[in-house]
Amino acid sequence: MKELPQVPLGQSSLLVTRLISGGNPLCGNSHFSVEMDEQMRRFFTPDQVVAYLHHLQQAGINTLQARGDYHRILHWLELFRRQGGQLHWIAQTASEMSDVFQNIRVLAAAGAIGIYHHGTQTDRFWLEGQIDQTREYLKCIRDTGVQVGWERIRPR
């Protein structure tokens, strides 16, 4: 198998493959239809997710980008790691958490190599004229020592 090209993540010395996997299908977020969301949720059981993560690694992909919720991705990554799996993880903040600052600290402690501020939340701040609120979240991410990202999604 030919090795996939890798690039440094931000200003770090960590190398990530230029092709990474997103986590939306694993969590049943198609951004297409409720029916497709439900199909993905039924398909991606914990065992299916762990198998998928192993397939990524076997294909030479070394990075997963997925939201930082506690009940799914952290559980799945732990199961994957217990089986010897090794992938880098770039985490999206879970803006529905009551304490996003705590969410950030948990994500960093769980091994995220980078964390980015959730785009839907960023857009909400932007539309409400409160974009400066993201600075505190970005500072918290920076304080954990991981790479910092900021996502903005086009308003619909």
Side-chain angles (χ1 to χ4, degrees):
M1 171 177 51
K2 187 174 179 182
E3 191 171 309
L4 293 174
Q6 297 183 5
V7 296
L9 178 64
Q11 299 301 312
S12 76
S13 60
L14 294 168
L15 295 177
V16 297
T17 48
R18 289 179 58 189
L19 176 63
I20 64 175
S21 174
N24 276 0
L26 308 178
C27 297
N29 294 317
S30 69
H31 298 283
F32 181 75
S33 71
V34 172
E35 293 80 14
M36 186 173 284
D37 292 351
E38 186 54 40
Q39 288 174 354
M40 289 188 296
R41 283 188 201 105
R42 279 195 308 270
F43 178 78
F44 281 113
T45 64
D47 288 341
Q48 283 292 102
V49 170
V50 171
Y52 173 78
L53 297 176
H54 282 293
H55 287 298
L56 290 178
Q57 188 172 324
Q58 291 163 0
I61 297 170
N62 75 353
T63 306
L64 171 70
Q65 178 181 339
R67 59 181 275 99
D69 57 18
Y70 302 152
H71 64 284
R72 291 182 282 197
I73 198 64
L74 288 178
H75 174 70
W76 297 332
L77 283 172
E78 177 62 24
L79 295 174
F80 172 68
R81 290 170 179 159
R82 287 180 188 181
Q83 295 178 6
Q86 297 179 359
L87 287 174
H88 294 308
W89 172 41
I90 300 171
Q92 171 192 289
T93 58
S95 57
E96 75 278 3
M97 297 290 187
S98 63
D99 185 345
V100 177
F101 296 104
Q102 179 65 13
N103 176 235
I104 290 166
R105 290 185 287 274
V106 168
L107 300 177
I113 62 171
I115 302 172
Y116 63 96
H117 190 262
H118 186 197
T120 301
Q121 181 69 37
T122 302
D123 285 353
R124 197 185 75 166
F125 284 151
W126 178 265
L127 293 172
E128 293 173 357
Q130 301 173 351
I131 196 64
D132 286 346
Q133 287 190 29
T134 59
R135 288 184 182 170
E136 289 304 311
Y137 294 107
L138 300 178
K139 180 184 180 316
C140 182
I141 295 168
R142 195 169 290 107
D143 289 347
T144 69
V146 304
Q147 294 295 294
V148 180
W150 187 58
E151 176 187 37
R152 181 156 192 275
I153 302 170
R154 280 180 295 150
R156 294 181 184 165

